[in-house]
Amino acid sequence: MDKLKIALQYIMPKHLLSRLVGKLAAAELGAVTTSVIKWFIKQYKIDMSEAADSAPEAYASFNQFFTRALKPGIRPLCDDDDYIVHPVDGAVSQCGPIKEGRIFQAKGHEYSSLALLGDQADDARRFEGGDFATIYLAPKDYHRIHMPIKGTLSKMTYVPGELFSVNPLTAANVPGLFARNERVVAIFETEIGPMAMVLVGATIVASIETVWAGTVTPPTGKKVFTWDYPTEGPEAITLDKGEEMGRFKLGSTVVMLFAKDALEHFADDVEPKAVTRMGQAFAKID
């Protein structure tokens, strides 16, 4: 059955399906939308007591529900300035060193940081010998993405690609998964050096958004696009630790890259399959 699930992903029209689901998720269909939201809450055991608005009827579209805000203070930031924090609610897929430009995906699979970053060689060189962490967001999770550390945006890259699922089964069976799926790469300048936040698309992910550019995808394209941003002056985009930087409309994965010697070590509970909560200690600064 697992082999069949993987094989079907290679032949199904993933982009067409994803964009169709995206249109439905954005539609405001009144009682129909509310019924779908109620079913989703029950199916995935979502804790709506954490939501700023816990009533399913409060959301005009499924997308509004899926990207719901949390109650103020429900995810307090780690107050130790020596630690950066988890950017999302999810589960650690993998974490560790970037070895000779390679990132570990799952047993038997790895991919290059160069490919992940859209073949931007200058960007990849900045993370040689550094560290990475991959966090998977399940359907039940909170889907806004926050800053692990204060940073100033210097570059954004849109990389076209596939839309395979990014669940653990697919990660274990599709080579180079995160470097072949559609993705948005944001590079920030921080006190510990450059940091890349890679927002990876997936099957039925209707949209990837950032707070500075809005919807980056869809529409999709066939070319890599890059945007450079000033890091000084009134037009510089600086986001504080814990501040929202983007969101997924339907679930996906975030891959973070850090420069060599930026991190001393990951927090004790950061290991594969470990549950993450935005704002908790993620890694100690070197």
Side-chain angles (χ1 to χ4, degrees):
M1 183 58 70
D2 286 348
K3 290 182 179 180
L4 177 61
K5 289 179 180 178
I6 298 301
L8 286 174
Q9 289 192 57
Y10 278 94
I11 61 175
M12 66 188 294
K14 295 181 286 295
H15 280 279
L16 177 62
L17 175 62
S18 299
R19 301 321 173 201
L20 175 60
V21 171
K23 290 184 179 298
L24 293 173
E28 298 182 4
L29 302 175
V32 174
T33 295
T34 299
S35 295
V36 171
I37 291 172
K38 288 181 176 179
W39 173 85
F40 197 89
I41 291 170
K42 183 177 180 180
Q43 177 71 16
Y44 291 101
K45 299 178 174 59
I46 296 174
D47 183 4
M48 291 299 290
S49 68
E50 294 187 334
D53 200 327
S54 61
E57 298 81 5
Y59 302 96
S61 70
F62 186 82
N63 277 341
Q64 287 183 16
F65 156 72
F66 200 79
T67 58
R68 62 195 175 276
L70 298 180
K71 290 178 179 176
I74 203 80
R75 293 287 186 272
L77 293 181
C78 171
D79 57 7
D80 189 336
D81 291 337
D82 290 333
Y83 279 83
I84 63 174
V85 300
H86 284 290
V88 293
D89 286 7
V92 177
S93 175
Q94 299 293 339
C95 61
I98 301 170
K99 297 181 178 180
E100 298 181 348
R102 307 293 293 177
I103 297 172
F104 182 70
Q105 177 178 302
K107 186 177 180 180
H109 298 296
E110 60 180 26
Y111 57 94
S112 74
S113 55
L114 176 62
L116 178 71
L117 299 174
D119 292 324
Q120 305 290 299
D122 289 342
D123 295 339
R125 276 192 287 270
R126 303 186 74 191
F127 299 101
E128 289 181 357
D131 293 285
F132 80 95
T134 306
I135 302 179
Y136 167 66
L137 288 76
K140 65 180 177 62
D141 290 319
Y142 166 67
H143 277 79
R144 298 190 183 191
I145 308 152
H146 296 253
M147 292 290 289
I149 188 173
K150 182 178 180 179
T152 300
L153 181 69
S154 59
K155 185 175 183 179
M156 181 173 72
T157 303
Y158 162 76
V159 188
E162 296 280 0
L163 285 176
F164 285 96
S165 170
V166 290
N167 62 27
L169 173 65
T170 312
N173 288 278
V174 175
L177 174 63
F178 305 119
R180 66 193 300 173
N181 267 17
E182 181 180 70
R183 55 204 178 276
V184 174
V185 180
I187 296 181
F188 293 89
E189 309 306 317
T190 79
E191 65 179 89
I192 59 173
M195 173 186 70
M197 299 283 286
V198 185
L199 315 185
V200 183
T203 308
I204 72 170
V205 173
S207 176
I208 298 175
E209 300 180 2
T210 66
V211 297
W212 59 87
T215 299
V216 181
T217 178
T220 56
K222 295 183 178 180
K223 297 181 179 180
V224 173
F225 289 96
T226 64
W227 296 263
D228 293 311
Y229 297 88
T231 56
E232 297 180 348
E235 295 184 355
I237 300 169
T238 298
L239 301 176
D240 287 330
K241 178 179 180 180
E243 189 172 352
E244 182 183 345
M245 61 80 62
R247 61 182 67 177
F248 291 117
K249 291 180 178 175
L250 301 185
S252 199
T253 288
V254 175
V255 182
M256 294 178 287
L257 305 185
F258 298 91
K260 183 178 181 180
D261 298 327
L263 306 181
E264 182 176 308
H265 59 76
F266 293 107
D268 292 340
D269 58 350
V270 176
E271 58 185 14
K273 299 183 179 181
V275 173
T276 73
R277 286 294 176 264
M278 192 281 290
Q280 293 180 346
F282 166 69
K284 191 174 188 299
I285 296 171
D286 195 348

